[in-house]
Amino acid sequence: MAEGDNRSSNLLAVETASLEEQLQGWGEVMLMADKVLRWERAWFPPAVMGVVSLLFLIIYYLDPSVLSGVSCFVMFLCLADYLVPILAPRIFGSNKWTTEQQQRFHEICSNLVKTRRRAVGWWKRLFSLKEEKPKMYFMTMIISLAAVAWVGQQVHNLLLTYLIVTFVLLLPGLNQHGIILKYIGMAKREINKLLKQKEKKNE
């Protein structure tokens, strides 16, 4: 067991080091984005919502086709991939890179690797379920996809995308400040109250 844990830790370290090397040119930008997403300042959450809202208002106003939207998005990614490693050291100053920043950059890359591993793990579990319990897999997929299709039919695509993007960008800050755990705890307490009331009525 310990040998397996050591092997997993070593593999995690190798994958993290590889990702750090690939994203080295994005280090300053990633640290700034990390500060914004974790809400290190009180005005960061409304700023994130404001930028996202402005972006989606522009998309709504221009009303591009799917092909045009995808092409512009990929073009933006290509430009960012080319320009960010060149401009970031000049804007932020590469000589200001400290040990603390390097440690935080390492933690961010490690978290990204762990997130990728979780996603791959869930994907493998899904296919394991397909092989082991095909009927359950079929019913789960049909019900889930039907629910998603119903929601997509009821809510405008752009509005739905806006809500998802906003939630995903606010999620790290919500998690960092314990807001999600707070509301989950409140929901559990309310459910427990309802269950106790039901038990009393049954008695």
Side-chain angles (χ1 to χ4, degrees), residues 7-175:
R7 189 180 303 165
S8 179
S9 299
N10 292 336
L11 185 60
L12 176 63
V14 170
E15 291 180 8
T16 302
S18 175
L19 187 61
E20 283 182 33
E21 187 177 351
Q22 294 173 18
L23 298 176
Q24 196 62 47
W26 287 75
E28 293 89 350
V29 176
M30 289 177 65
L31 288 177
M32 181 58 67
D34 178 63
K35 291 179 181 179
V36 173
L37 294 177
R38 289 191 298 117
W39 304 357
E40 288 198 357
R41 296 188 181 179
W43 57 271
F44 281 163
V48 169
M49 293 184 68
V51 171
V52 174
S53 300
L54 178 62
L55 177 63
F56 275 85
L57 280 173
I58 293 172
I59 295 173
Y60 177 76
Y61 176 75
L62 296 176
D63 192 23
S65 64
V66 174
L67 186 59
S68 298
V70 171
S71 298
C72 290
F73 179 70
V74 174
M75 182 174 61
F76 173 77
L77 290 180
C78 291
L79 285 171
D81 186 50
Y82 176 73
L83 293 175
V84 167
I86 297 173
L87 299 177
R90 299 180 183 179
I91 296 172
F92 297 99
S94 57
N95 57 335
K96 296 179 182 178
W97 193 258
T98 62
T99 306
E100 184 180 349
Q101 288 175 317
Q102 180 61 39
Q103 179 62 29
R104 184 58 197 162
F105 179 63
H106 174 76
E107 291 174 2
I108 293 170
C109 290
S110 179
N111 289 334
L112 289 174
V113 171
K114 290 175 182 176
T115 302
R116 183 176 63 187
R117 281 186 165 194
R118 288 193 196 101
V120 172
W122 279 106
W123 187 257
K124 288 180 178 177
R125 287 191 192 98
L126 188 63
F127 278 93
S128 297
L129 182 65
K130 180 183 177 182
E131 292 176 0
E132 296 170 4
K133 300 178 180 179
K135 290 182 179 179
M136 182 181 291
Y137 167 82
F138 175 76
M139 292 301 297
T140 303
M141 292 299 294
I142 292 298
I143 293 171
S144 301
L145 293 173
V148 172
W150 181 82
V151 171
Q153 189 67 25
Q154 301 302 315
V155 184
H156 192 279
N157 289 336
L158 191 62
L159 176 60
L160 189 61
T161 307
Y162 167 74
L163 293 174
I164 293 171
V165 171
T166 303
F167 176 74
V168 169
L169 292 177
L170 293 178
L171 187 59
L174 292 169
N175 190 42

Side-chain angles (χ1 to χ4, degrees), residues 165-195:
V165 171
T166 303
F167 176 74
V168 169
L169 292 177
L170 293 178
L171 187 59
L174 292 169
N175 190 42
Q176 178 73 18
H177 292 268
I179 298 173
I180 293 177
L181 292 176
K182 176 184 174 183
Y183 283 100
I184 289 175
M186 289 173 61
K188 285 181 178 179
R189 285 194 294 270
E190 291 298 322
I191 291 170
N192 289 332
K193 286 181 183 178
L194 291 173
L195 290 175

